[in-house]
Amino acid sequence: MDANFVLVRQIPPGIRLLRAARGRDWTLKTYRYAILLVTFIAYACYHASRKPSSIVKSVLDPDPLNQPLSGNDPYPWPIGNVFIKEEEGQNSSIEGSSRGWAPFNGKDGTSKLGEIDVAFLSCYSLGMYVAGHLGDKLDLRLFLTSGMVGSGIFVALFGMGYIWNVHVFWFYLAMQMVAGLFQATGWPSVVAVIGNWFGKRKRGLIMGIWNAHTSVGNISGSLLAAAVLSCGWGWSFIVPGAFIVLGGVLVFLFLAPYPEDIGFTTAQLMATDDNGQDVEGQNRGEAAGNDGGGPVPGPCGSGLRTSVGLVEACLIPGVIPFALCLFFSKLVAYTFLYWLPFYLSQTAIGGHFMSVKSAGNLSTLFDVGGIVGGILAGYISDRLKARAITAASFMYMAIPAMLLYRWYGSVSQSLNIILMMIAGLFVNGPYALITTAVSADLGTHSSLRGDSRALATVTAIIDGTGSIGAALGPLLTGFLSTRGWNLVFVMLMLCALVAGLLLTRLVIAEIAEKADRPIPGGKQGHEAPASEPLLGNLR
């Protein structure tokens, strides 16, 4: 396909309907809030549909030696009866939970569950590179809608294995692999949309808050899957699958990938970012030469625009170091995502084992800490104008946080909760920062020629590389956990250390730039923009 690709988009039908109903248009600020909300919901649905596999692991491959907590036990603040209380025999109400589900209930059941995870994440990471490049060429609204609907169908089909009484390993493997390919459409698309609508000013904070959709999706997915688990483990997949399909419908109706698609100009966006004055949404249809319902050409959005190739995007300063850092950072984050509920159900906390449902509910507090971590990392990186320093610092702090969680998390439920949230803060903070603000910064880097846009492509390279690590982590955990959880935590701490070390060159450059010292091979006294600290000096 030619690099110069002309694409004319339609105004989303939901926006046309709202315009007709209101009789006038929204302001730029209102549209930005709407874009934040729609993309937030969209990616929360993506993550919610990934959580069921972690919730049902202990049902598919139960440990008969571990007994759930009794409903008569006292529970300390802040969980109380909401998360921990279980009635006697509740686990037995989940059909087949005491004997598991073939083919996952054999001696190699844990390893097979790890293989299912790595199959999904491998297809996800490979699909990311293709999806990102396509996202810079195709209509992001239709592309994202197709990905969400396809994801929902194949997530639900995995759960239908329970309804159809399927016990063939290759069926579940194939469903996860195809679901992984469809899931790859999500992240490059939503980051590209946000990058198109928001300038570089306070991008770290805005994207840090917006990135809470990851943790909100994990939390809602965990609670939803756990809530219907008593109806049969298959429903823990079918219900989240239906929700992501509904999210796809929302995207189709209301998502405008580029401001130019609904009549805003680049000058209006820049003026709003610079002086904070909002832009009234009047007569944009006439200015675009139509009645507001037809195709809208734009200088960077729907009209002629230039995309870059994967190799060219890799050459953007800073892309490779952050991509490699995310490889190890996401390995750590996704190991918790896929294995924390299983770990909690297999570990005695305060001298007791908890049920599968309680473990799933309790694990959501890791993501609560992750929400705070993402916002905090974005805010600090904006204030310091130093993305690499912030990301590396969080990775180094994650090491003692995980060590303390492993050593003392089993002492009591209250201590487990506190340490889990602290670990979530430091583990998810750099992961959120790199996949959002850093990716958006690099995708609009000054080294790109003219009006070239590489948001989706750069995001795909960084997150695709990270997703390879995300696939490796759960796979290794499946094998290492059979030899003891201490080995798993040693692996996670080593990966966090390597992730921080990979940013050393960028960290040194940022520190030197702030001290106004010359950098070898760079320019003395160079003042980088807030969103491009040091990167121009690393060419």
Side-chain angles (χ1 to χ4, degrees), residues 3 133 137 307-316 453-454 457-458 461:
H133 193 54
K137 292 178 176 292
S307 61
V308 299
L310 289 174
V311 175
E312 186 179 355
C314 287
L315 295 177
I316 297 173
R453 304 287 288 181
T457 303
V458 169
I461 292 171

Side-chain angles (χ1 to χ4, degrees), residues 11 19 261 263 283-297:
I11 296 176
R19 283 178 173 179
D261 292 344
N283 299 324
R284 288 200 304 275
E286 297 175 5
N290 64 73
D291 61 359
V296 181

Side-chain angles (χ1 to χ4, degrees), residues 12-13 38-39 42-43 45-46 138-153 182-187 189-190 193 241 243-257:
V38 172
T39 52
Y43 210 69
C45 289
Y46 271 101
L138 303 179
D139 187 332
L140 284 171
R141 178 172 63 93
L142 300 181
F143 188 58
L144 191 58
T145 299
S146 301
M148 296 181 74
V149 173
S151 296
I153 291 173
F182 277 106
Q183 288 264 333
T185 61
W187 191 240
S189 300
V190 295
V193 171
F243 269 86
I244 192 173
V245 171
L246 292 176
V249 174
L250 177 70
V251 166
F252 175 78
L253 292 175
F254 295 105
L255 182 67

Side-chain angles (χ1 to χ4, degrees), residues 210-429:
W210 171 76
N211 193 64
H213 55 51
T214 298
S215 296
V216 169
N218 291 339
I219 292 170
S220 58
S222 297
L223 296 177
L224 191 61
V228 297
L229 191 59
S230 59
C231 301
W233 66 262
W235 291 101
S236 294
F237 288 87
I238 295 172
V239 175
F243 269 86
I244 192 173
V245 171
L246 292 176
V249 174
L250 177 70
V251 166
F252 175 78
L253 292 175
F254 295 105
L255 182 67
Y258 279 84
E260 294 87 355
D261 292 344
I262 49 179
F264 287 109
T265 65
T266 303
Q268 287 175 316
L269 266 70
M270 294 178 64
T272 302
D273 289 334
D274 291 339
N275 57 36
Q277 294 179 355
D278 204 359
V279 180
E280 292 295 333
Q282 57 185 3
N283 299 324
R284 288 200 304 275
E286 297 175 5
N290 64 73
D291 61 359
V296 181
C300 298
S302 301
L304 179 66
R305 62 191 184 91
T306 309
S307 61
V308 299
L310 289 174
V311 175
E312 186 179 355
C314 287
L315 295 177
I316 297 173
V319 168
I320 296 300
F322 276 113
L324 293 176
C325 174
L326 190 63
F327 176 95
F328 292 97
S329 175
K330 201 167 182 178
L331 185 154
V332 177
Y334 266 63
T335 297
F336 278 98
L337 174 69
Y338 279 92
W339 285 94
L340 183 56
F342 186 81
Y343 169 75
L344 290 170
S345 67
Q346 302 288 310
T347 304
I349 300 175
H352 300 281
F353 290 96
M354 65 179 61
S355 71
V356 177
K357 182 175 181 179
S358 294
N361 290 335
L362 186 62
S363 69
T364 61
L365 295 177
F366 181 86
D367 291 293
V368 172
I371 293 175
V372 178
I375 297 173
L376 191 61
Y379 176 76
I380 292 174
S381 70
D382 277 346
R383 295 285 294 179
L384 297 179
K385 297 181 175 61
R387 307 286 198 218
I389 292 175
T390 304
S393 299
F394 270 69
M395 290 310 309
Y396 291 138
M397 290 300 297
I399 298 172
M402 289 187 287
L403 184 63
L404 290 173
Y405 180 66
R406 175 57 184 164
W407 279 355
Y408 300 107
S410 60
V411 172
S412 69
Q413 293 161 15
S414 294
L415 193 57
N416 184 284
I417 290 165
I418 295 171
L419 294 176
M420 184 193 303
M421 294 178 70
I422 294 174
L425 186 152
F426 288 114
V427 168
N428 282 357

